[in-house]
Amino acid sequence: MALSSSITPSETTLPDKPEVVLVTGGTFTMGNSVDEDATPHDVTLSSYSIGKYPVTVGQYKKYCTATGISMPDEPNWGWNDKQPIVKVNYNDAVAYCNWLGEQYGGDWSLPSEAQWEFAARGGNKSQNFNYSGSNDLDEVGCYADSKTQNVGRKKANELAIFDMCGNMWEWCKDWYGEYSSATQINPKGAASGAYRVMRGGSWEYSAAYCRVSYRFFNGPSNRDNDVGFRVVVSK
């Protein structure tokens, strides 16, 4: 059941299948002129749908129950079904996406780094904010805090997508590598590497790490208490 725009996830139960928002394809300038690993370049993307919220503890529990897979170790604040799932590594996130495809059909996956950034910027409706939906991170993200917060508590961005800056880092599909300045169409990132890209910042980091264009990375086998994910689907 779709959530009413007047009801937040903290007031109701999130559906078992992640809700997604259509991101109409377009062209944007990815990266920034400040961080040395984020050379600005033009990217054109086809349309896709991305999670309205990060995957929650409750949604991930359903997957674990259905497959017999154990939940990750609890973070020190415990599990809350409306908070984003954390302590999942890259392969855990991919396996969850594959299960969604088996259950509901469609091609479910992690977002590419370009898909993540375009959605965080607000897609074709972008107002060029520093953070996803605002220049004031307090309006849209949980940061410099002591734990994750329930998804959807803060303001959504231009596409009605929540929590893309702060709360927890989000795995992306790409291997981490330096950008090319060349124009790209539906880029897939580096062909190989030692680390996977993460985006969005987290509850544990300052605002500087939560910018829509800031890049971070992590070993794909690591399970950290400030790392989760959201999904992309095409049909």
Side-chain angles (χ1 to χ4, degrees):
M1 181 180 69
L3 293 175
S4 166
S5 59
S6 64
I7 299 175
T8 70
S10 60
E11 297 170 325
T12 189
T13 301
L14 286 158
D16 293 330
K17 182 175 75 169
E19 293 180 272
V20 294
V21 172
L22 175 65
V23 182
T24 302
T27 299
F28 74 111
T29 300
M30 184 172 176
N32 65 71
S33 57
V34 177
D35 302 314
E36 62 182 16
D37 66 344
T39 303
H41 57 291
D42 288 339
V43 170
T44 298
L45 292 175
S46 303
S47 298
Y48 57 98
S49 294
I50 194 167
K52 185 174 183 177
Y53 311 102
V55 173
T56 64
V57 171
Q59 289 165 342
Y60 199 81
K61 274 183 182 177
K62 180 175 176 62
Y63 156 70
C64 289
T65 299
T67 60
I69 293 171
S70 298
M71 282 285 286
D73 292 338
E74 280 191 328
N76 58 18
W77 57 84
W79 289 131
N80 176 328
D81 282 356
K82 295 174 185 175
Q83 291 178 358
I85 187 67
V86 292
K87 290 205 167 184
V88 287
N89 66 25
Y90 178 86
N91 291 328
D92 295 334
V94 170
Y96 175 81
C97 292
N98 292 340
W99 177 78
L100 287 177
E102 294 169 0
Q103 295 298 304
Y104 302 110
D107 181 15
W108 296 78
S109 68
L110 295 175
S112 70
E113 186 178 12
Q115 287 175 326
W116 190 97
E117 184 170 326
F118 188 51
R121 287 180 178 275
N124 295 321
K125 297 181 179 180
S126 177
Q127 297 182 46
N128 297 313
F129 293 128
N130 291 326
Y131 310 105
S132 186
S134 179
N135 285 325
D136 181 358
L137 185 54
D138 288 324
E139 289 187 337
V140 295
C142 165
Y143 70 106
D145 205 340
S146 59
K147 63 177 183 177
T148 58
Q149 300 294 332
N150 289 6
V151 302
R153 291 179 66 241
K154 300 282 187 169
K155 176 184 169 184
N157 76 356
E158 299 94 321
L159 296 176
I161 303 170
F162 293 81
D163 298 289
M164 293 202 78
C165 289
N167 226 356
M168 80 292 152
W169 292 103
E170 300 183 18
W171 288 114
C172 292
K173 191 184 298 183
D174 307 42
W175 290 107
Y176 175 78
E178 290 188 6
Y179 288 162
S180 165
S181 60
T183 298
Q184 299 181 51
I185 299 174
N186 294 323
K188 297 181 180 178
S192 61
Y195 303 101
R196 295 285 184 176
V197 173
M198 300 191 308
R199 288 301 209 101
S202 83
W203 60 266
E204 197 172 21
Y205 282 73
S206 68
Y209 294 89
C210 300
R211 292 173 287 126
V212 290
S213 62
Y214 186 80
R215 310 180 70 208
F216 210 38
F217 55 88
N218 200 358
S221 63
N222 290 345
R223 294 185 174 96
D224 298 315
N225 65 3
D226 65 342
V227 180
F229 66 103
R230 77 177 66 221
V231 297
V232 158
V233 62
S234 58
K235 293 186 179 180

PDB file of all heavy atoms in Angstrom, residues 125-141:
ATOM      1  N   LYS A 125      14.478  17.929 -11.847  1.00  0.00           N
ATOM      2  CA  LYS A 125      13.868  18.998 -11.044  1.00  0.00           C
ATOM      3  C   LYS A 125      14.870  19.643 -10.093  1.00  0.00           C
ATOM      4  O   LYS A 125      14.498  20.425  -9.219  1.00  0.00           O
ATOM      5  CB  LYS A 125      12.687  18.440 -10.237  1.00  0.00           C
ATOM      6  CG  LYS A 125      11.547  17.905 -11.090  1.00  0.00           C
ATOM      7  CD  LYS A 125      10.408  17.385 -10.224  1.00  0.00           C
ATOM      8  CE  LYS A 125       9.256  16.869 -11.060  1.00  0.00           C
ATOM      9  NZ  LYS A 125       8.141  16.352 -10.223  1.00  0.00           N
ATOM     10  N   SER A 126      16.140  19.331 -10.280  1.00  0.00           N
ATOM     11  CA  SER A 126      17.172  19.791  -9.351  1.00  0.00           C
ATOM     12  C   SER A 126      17.192  21.300  -9.186  1.00  0.00           C
ATOM     13  O   SER A 126      17.084  22.053 -10.159  1.00  0.00           O
ATOM     14  CB  SER A 126      18.547  19.331  -9.846  1.00  0.00           C
ATOM     15  OG  SER A 126      19.568  19.824  -8.996  1.00  0.00           O
ATOM     16  N   GLN A 127      17.334  21.732  -7.936  1.00  0.00           N
ATOM     17  CA  GLN A 127      17.537  23.144  -7.620  1.00  0.00           C
ATOM     18  C   GLN A 127      18.984  23.416  -7.194  1.00  0.00           C
ATOM     19  O   GLN A 127      19.298  24.457  -6.626  1.00  0.00           O
ATOM     20  CB  GLN A 127      16.557  23.576  -6.531  1.00  0.00           C
ATOM     21  CG  GLN A 127      15.098  23.473  -6.952  1.00  0.00           C
ATOM     22  CD  GLN A 127      14.143  23.950  -5.879  1.00  0.00           C
ATOM     23  OE1 GLN A 127      14.339  25.009  -5.274  1.00  0.00           O
ATOM     24  NE2 GLN A 127      13.095  23.183  -5.638  1.00  0.00           N
ATOM     25  N   ASN A 128      19.860  22.427  -7.478  1.00  0.00           N
ATOM     26  CA  ASN A 128      21.309  22.569  -7.257  1.00  0.00           C
ATOM     27  C   ASN A 128      21.671  22.838  -5.794  1.00  0.00           C
ATOM     28  O   ASN A 128      22.546  23.653  -5.496  1.00  0.00           O
ATOM     29  CB  ASN A 128      21.874  23.677  -8.154  1.00  0.00           C
ATOM     30  CG  ASN A 128      21.728  23.349  -9.624  1.00  0.00           C
ATOM     31  OD1 ASN A 128      22.044  22.244 -10.058  1.00  0.00           O
ATOM     32  ND2 ASN A 128      21.241  24.304 -10.409  1.00  0.00           N
ATOM     33  N   PHE A 129      20.997  22.110  -4.890  1.00  0.00           N
ATOM     34  CA  PHE A 129      21.320  22.233  -3.480  1.00  0.00           C
ATOM     35  C   PHE A 129      22.627  21.505  -3.159  1.00  0.00           C
ATOM     36  O   PHE A 129      23.022  20.570  -3.858  1.00  0.00           O
ATOM     37  CB  PHE A 129      20.200  21.634  -2.632  1.00  0.00           C
ATOM     38  CG  PHE A 129      18.891  22.376  -2.698  1.00  0.00           C
ATOM     39  CD1 PHE A 129      17.703  21.710  -2.983  1.00  0.00           C
ATOM     40  CD2 PHE A 129      18.835  23.748  -2.456  1.00  0.00           C
ATOM     41  CE1 PHE A 129      16.491  22.375  -3.026  1.00  0.00           C
ATOM     42  CE2 PHE A 129      17.623  24.434  -2.492  1.00  0.00           C
ATOM     43  CZ  PHE A 129      16.451  23.742  -2.786  1.00  0.00           C
ATOM     44  N   ASN A 130      23.271  21.898  -2.067  1.00  0.00           N
ATOM     45  CA  ASN A 130      24.469  21.202  -1.598  1.00  0.00           C
ATOM     46  C   ASN A 130      24.137  19.811  -1.061  1.00  0.00           C
ATOM     47  O   ASN A 130      24.936  18.881  -1.177  1.00  0.00           O
ATOM     48  CB  ASN A 130      25.152  22.007  -0.492  1.00  0.00           C
ATOM     49  CG  ASN A 130      25.772  23.282  -1.003  1.00  0.00           C
ATOM     50  OD1 ASN A 130      26.261  23.333  -2.129  1.00  0.00           O
ATOM     51  ND2 ASN A 130      25.767  24.317  -0.177  1.00  0.00           N
ATOM     52  N   TYR A 131      22.964  19.697  -0.440  1.00  0.00           N
ATOM     53  CA  TYR A 131      22.502  18.426   0.107  1.00  0.00           C
ATOM     54  C   TYR A 131      21.238  18.019  -0.640  1.00  0.00           C
ATOM     55  O   TYR A 131      20.697  18.788  -1.428  1.00  0.00           O
ATOM     56  CB  TYR A 131      22.244  18.564   1.612  1.00  0.00           C
ATOM     57  CG  TYR A 131      23.392  19.198   2.337  1.00  0.00           C
ATOM     58  CD1 TYR A 131      23.320  20.523   2.782  1.00  0.00           C
ATOM     59  CD2 TYR A 131      24.573  18.502   2.534  1.00  0.00           C
ATOM     60  CE1 TYR A 131      24.393  21.125   3.415  1.00  0.00           C
ATOM     61  CE2 TYR A 131      25.653  19.093   3.165  1.00  0.00           C
ATOM     62  CZ  TYR A 131      25.567  20.403   3.601  1.00  0.00           C
ATOM     63  OH  TYR A 131      26.636  20.989   4.211  1.00  0.00           O
ATOM     64  N   SER A 132      20.774  16.837  -0.426  1.00  0.00           N
ATOM     65  CA  SER A 132      19.641  16.341  -1.196  1.00  0.00           C
ATOM     66  C   SER A 132      18.340  16.969  -0.710  1.00  0.00           C
ATOM     67  O   SER A 132      17.734  16.508   0.249  1.00  0.00           O
ATOM     68  CB  SER A 132      19.568  14.812  -1.082  1.00  0.00           C
ATOM     69  OG  SER A 132      18.559  14.304  -1.921  1.00  0.00           O
ATOM     70  N   GLY A 133      17.928  18.059  -1.380  1.00  0.00           N
ATOM     71  CA  GLY A 133      16.686  18.721  -1.042  1.00  0.00           C
ATOM     72  C   GLY A 133      16.820  20.050  -0.325  1.00  0.00           C
ATOM     73  O   GLY A 133      15.822  20.734  -0.094  1.00  0.00           O
ATOM     74  N   SER A 134      18.043  20.452   0.018  1.00  0.00           N
ATOM     75  CA  SER A 134      18.205  21.700   0.771  1.00  0.00           C
ATOM     76  C   SER A 134      19.675  22.098   0.833  1.00  0.00           C
ATOM     77  O   SER A 134      20.570  21.246   0.693  1.00  0.00           O
ATOM     78  CB  SER A 134      17.666  21.537   2.192  1.00  0.00           C
ATOM     79  OG  SER A 134      17.822  22.725   2.952  1.00  0.00           O
ATOM     80  N   ASN A 135      19.917  23.378   1.097  1.00  0.00           N
ATOM     81  CA  ASN A 135      21.263  23.831   1.458  1.00  0.00           C
ATOM     82  C   ASN A 135      21.488  23.786   2.964  1.00  0.00           C
ATOM     83  O   ASN A 135      22.588  24.073   3.438  1.00  0.00           O
ATOM     84  CB  ASN A 135      21.499  25.256   0.942  1.00  0.00           C
ATOM     85  CG  ASN A 135      21.733  25.290  -0.554  1.00  0.00           C
ATOM     86  OD1 ASN A 135      22.345  24.374  -1.116  1.00  0.00           O
ATOM     87  ND2 ASN A 135      21.250  26.338  -1.212  1.00  0.00           N
ATOM     88  N   ASP A 136      20.455  23.431   3.705  1.00  0.00           N
ATOM     89  CA  ASP A 136      20.517  23.298   5.161  1.00  0.00           C
ATOM     90  C   ASP A 136      20.363  21.829   5.510  1.00  0.00           C
ATOM     91  O   ASP A 136      19.267  21.275   5.448  1.00  0.00           O
ATOM     92  CB  ASP A 136      19.397  24.129   5.801  1.00  0.00           C
ATOM     93  CG  ASP A 136      19.397  24.060   7.329  1.00  0.00           C
ATOM     94  OD1 ASP A 136      20.247  23.336   7.904  1.00  0.00           O
ATOM     95  OD2 ASP A 136      18.535  24.708   7.941  1.00  0.00           O
ATOM     96  N   LEU A 137      21.455  21.178   5.885  1.00  0.00           N
ATOM     97  CA  LEU A 137      21.414  19.741   6.149  1.00  0.00           C
ATOM     98  C   LEU A 137      20.485  19.395   7.299  1.00  0.00           C
ATOM     99  O   LEU A 137      19.905  18.295   7.327  1.00  0.00           O
ATOM    100  CB  LEU A 137      22.821  19.208   6.422  1.00  0.00           C
ATOM    101  CG  LEU A 137      22.962  17.702   6.609  1.00  0.00           C
ATOM    102  CD1 LEU A 137      22.370  16.912   5.443  1.00  0.00           C
ATOM    103  CD2 LEU A 137      24.428  17.319   6.812  1.00  0.00           C
ATOM    104  N   ASP A 138      20.285  20.296   8.239  1.00  0.00           N
ATOM    105  CA  ASP A 138      19.362  20.034   9.346  1.00  0.00           C
ATOM    106  C   ASP A 138      17.949  19.746   8.839  1.00  0.00           C
ATOM    107  O   ASP A 138      17.187  19.035   9.485  1.00  0.00           O
ATOM    108  CB  ASP A 138      19.320  21.209  10.317  1.00  0.00           C
ATOM    109  CG  ASP A 138      20.582  21.328  11.161  1.00  0.00           C
ATOM    110  OD1 ASP A 138      21.136  20.281  11.530  1.00  0.00           O
ATOM    111  OD2 ASP A 138      21.011  22.454  11.426  1.00  0.00           O
ATOM    112  N   GLU A 139      17.594  20.285   7.694  1.00  0.00           N
ATOM    113  CA  GLU A 139      16.262  20.070   7.141  1.00  0.00           C
ATOM    114  C   GLU A 139      16.092  18.675   6.549  1.00  0.00           C
ATOM    115  O   GLU A 139      14.983  18.140   6.532  1.00  0.00           O
ATOM    116  CB  GLU A 139      15.960  21.091   6.035  1.00  0.00           C
ATOM    117  CG  GLU A 139      15.739  22.503   6.508  1.00  0.00           C
ATOM    118  CD  GLU A 139      15.285  23.424   5.392  1.00  0.00           C
ATOM    119  OE1 GLU A 139      15.550  23.122   4.206  1.00  0.00           O
ATOM    120  OE2 GLU A 139      14.659  24.434   5.709  1.00  0.00           O
ATOM    121  N   VAL A 140      17.177  18.091   6.047  1.00  0.00           N
ATOM    122  CA  VAL A 140      17.025  16.874   5.231  1.00  0.00           C
ATOM    123  C   VAL A 140      17.807  15.664   5.717  1.00  0.00           C
ATOM    124  O   VAL A 140      17.594  14.554   5.212  1.00  0.00           O
ATOM    125  CB  VAL A 140      17.414  17.162   3.763  1.00  0.00           C
ATOM    126  CG1 VAL A 140      16.462  18.154   3.133  1.00  0.00           C
ATOM    127  CG2 VAL A 140      18.865  17.653   3.648  1.00  0.00           C
ATOM    128  N   GLY A 141      18.706  15.832   6.693  1.00  0.00           N
ATOM    129  CA  GLY A 141      19.552  14.697   7.045  1.00  0.00           C
ATOM    130  C   GLY A 141      19.911  14.602   8.509  1.00  0.00           C
ATOM    131  O   GLY A 141      19.992  15.605   9.228  1.00  0.00           O
TER     132      GLY A 141
END
